[in-house]
Amino acid sequence: MLESTKIKALVSLLDDPDQTVWETALNELSNIEITQLDELYTYLENGLESSEQHERLEDCIGLIRYQHLGKLLLDWKLNGGRNLVYAMALISQFKYPEVTEQAIHEKLETLRLDAWLEFHYDLTSFEKVRILNYILFQLHGFRGDEDNFLHHDNSFIDKVLENKKGNPISLSIVYMLVAQRLNVPVYGINLPRHFIMAYVEDDETDTIENFNDQQHISHIAHGEIKFYINAYNGGGVFNLDQLKSILKEMQLEEKPEYIQPCTNADIVLRVLMNLYNSFKHQGKKESEWIDRVIQLYMNGEEAPML
């Protein structure tokens, strides 16, 4: 932990005319403890001597936040990646620090309850999906963001739940989280360029005893894939042969990972990559910070300072 006097000295160097000096100071500041972030905010609020200091300190604070959240995501992955809502809340906090996991749970619970009221014991798998499609895409109006597909808000679950629009993976995440709360076994398929879902049924998910308001199905899919679902087109259903035709049209091999369910950890990496591409497309400096997070998440080590 850096002493306050050391932090003050480093901040004063952020407008040094020698690039090597201010970059070294910035790099050292970026490694302070997350608990010391308030000290840096104090310097921003009280004013600095130059615009260079202000801009570079803002960047430093952003990088520290991203690195901290990246470490939390890595810990989540290494500990099994069970709670997808927690990881998605962390991702939202990259841009919107005020987002909480509890707030996301509450919004998902509203969707779950609306669907639960339509469920009954003897529904077939197709009937369950038809109800979910109605609740999400007709009653609540979720849809694909065709006007601004690459916008970064399409990677933040709180914004997707608020704006009722997103990209294929964000809409699929909302769909899966609502379905799984109803013990409906829907899981993600990491199809390149277009994330989809699979309905994976086994004996445990097809019994009357599992019709209740307490989620207890596994976060990892077990069982036979009955069909696939495309959240981006309103929950359209298709079979394996049709998926293989899609792979052929996309000139992709029939790899298992394009056909079988992926893990929550895979889903989070895909969201991070989408977020990187969004920031890169918009020319935002956050793309460099997300790149560091991705390297940490994939390799367990931080990328060099950019």
Side-chain angles (χ1 to χ4, degrees), residues 153-178:
D153 277 352
N154 289 330
S155 293
F156 299 131
I157 191 170
D158 63 302
K159 288 300 178 182
V160 174
L161 289 167
E162 176 185 331
N163 299 330
K164 305 295 180 68
K165 59 184 179 181
N167 56 32
I169 190 168
S170 63
L171 292 176
S172 294
I173 289 170
V174 171
Y175 196 110
M176 288 185 293
L177 290 172
V178 174

Side-chain angles (χ1 to χ4, degrees), residues 28-75:
E28 191 166 351
L29 277 174
S30 71
N31 291 315
I32 70 170
E33 298 291 332
I34 191 68
T35 54
Q36 296 181 281
L37 208 55
D38 285 344
E39 290 189 55
L40 299 187
Y41 277 117
T42 299
Y43 285 107
L44 281 182
E45 293 167 359
N46 293 340
L48 294 165
E49 294 181 1
S50 69
S51 59
E52 288 85 357
Q53 279 181 310
H54 191 279
E55 181 179 350
R56 290 164 186 166
L57 187 57
E58 273 191 328
D59 288 351
C60 182
I61 290 171
L63 178 57
I64 292 168
R65 286 185 48 254
Y66 273 58
Q67 288 179 156
H68 173 68
L69 293 168
K71 290 173 182 176
L72 293 178
L73 284 171
L74 177 61
D75 288 342

Side-chain angles (χ1 to χ4, degrees), residues 33-170:
E33 298 291 332
I34 191 68
T35 54
Q36 296 181 281
L37 208 55
D38 285 344
E39 290 189 55
L40 299 187
Y41 277 117
T42 299
Y43 285 107
L44 281 182
E45 293 167 359
N46 293 340
L48 294 165
E49 294 181 1
S50 69
S51 59
E52 288 85 357
Q53 279 181 310
H54 191 279
E55 181 179 350
R56 290 164 186 166
L57 187 57
E58 273 191 328
D59 288 351
C60 182
I61 290 171
L63 178 57
I64 292 168
R65 286 185 48 254
Y66 273 58
Q67 288 179 156
H68 173 68
L69 293 168
K71 290 173 182 176
L72 293 178
L73 284 171
L74 177 61
D75 288 342
W76 169 82
K77 184 182 80 167
L78 295 177
N79 283 287
R82 290 175 176 80
N83 183 356
L84 184 57
V85 175
Y86 169 75
M88 293 306 299
L90 290 179
I91 291 176
S92 287
Q93 289 168 19
F94 285 131
K95 188 70 175 178
Y96 305 104
E98 71 282 0
V99 171
T100 66
E101 179 185 354
Q102 182 59 34
I104 295 172
H105 277 300
E106 290 172 359
K107 291 181 179 180
L108 291 170
E109 179 61 15
T110 298
L111 299 173
R112 183 203 69 83
L113 181 58
D114 283 347
W116 185 80
L117 292 172
E118 301 292 328
F119 272 41
H120 53 81
Y121 291 115
D122 58 352
L123 290 174
T124 67
S125 55
F126 289 103
E127 288 170 334
K128 292 174 184 176
V129 167
R130 187 162 62 245
I131 290 173
L132 284 169
N133 288 348
Y134 167 73
I135 296 298
L136 292 174
F137 303 119
Q138 296 186 46
L139 182 62
H140 286 275
F142 282 89
R143 68 189 191 281
D145 188 357
E146 297 181 354
D147 296 328
N148 208 351
F149 185 84
L150 290 176
H151 197 278
H152 52 260
D153 277 352
N154 289 330
S155 293
F156 299 131
I157 191 170
D158 63 302
K159 288 300 178 182
V160 174
L161 289 167
E162 176 185 331
N163 299 330
K164 305 295 180 68
K165 59 184 179 181
N167 56 32
I169 190 168
S170 63

Side-chain angles (χ1 to χ4, degrees), residues 146-283:
E146 297 181 354
D147 296 328
N148 208 351
F149 185 84
L150 290 176
H151 197 278
H152 52 260
D153 277 352
N154 289 330
S155 293
F156 299 131
I157 191 170
D158 63 302
K159 288 300 178 182
V160 174
L161 289 167
E162 176 185 331
N163 299 330
K164 305 295 180 68
K165 59 184 179 181
N167 56 32
I169 190 168
S170 63
L171 292 176
S172 294
I173 289 170
V174 171
Y175 196 110
M176 288 185 293
L177 290 172
V178 174
Q180 291 175 9
R181 285 165 180 257
L182 293 159
N183 295 309
V184 177
V186 175
Y187 298 89
I189 302 288
N190 211 355
L191 184 67
R193 302 197 293 276
H194 197 97
F195 196 90
I196 58 173
M197 299 172 289
Y199 191 107
V200 185
E201 196 162 61
D202 59 23
D203 293 338
E204 292 184 358
T205 59
D206 195 29
T207 62
I208 291 179
E209 288 76 12
N210 286 341
F211 181 80
N212 54 53
D213 60 356
Q214 299 295 321
Q215 177 183 340
H216 61 251
I217 65 173
S218 173
H219 68 288
I220 298 175
H222 299 286
E224 177 185 357
I225 294 177
K226 297 196 70 173
F227 50 83
Y228 297 91
I229 307 167
N230 184 355
Y232 198 71
N233 76 345
V237 172
F238 54 101
N239 60 30
L240 178 58
D241 288 338
Q242 290 169 312
L243 175 56
K244 289 181 177 180
S245 296
I246 293 171
L247 291 172
K248 188 175 181 180
E249 290 175 6
M250 297 171 69
Q251 298 182 333
L252 295 171
E253 298 179 37
E254 293 181 13
K255 294 182 178 181
E257 57 264 37
Y258 301 161
I259 296 173
Q260 297 296 322
C262 62
T263 66
N264 286 343
D266 294 328
I267 291 173
V268 166
L269 178 58
R270 179 79 173 259
V271 174
L272 290 173
M273 294 296 294
N274 280 354
L275 193 53
Y276 168 80
N277 289 330
S278 175
F279 284 142
K280 190 75 172 178
H281 177 76
Q282 298 173 71

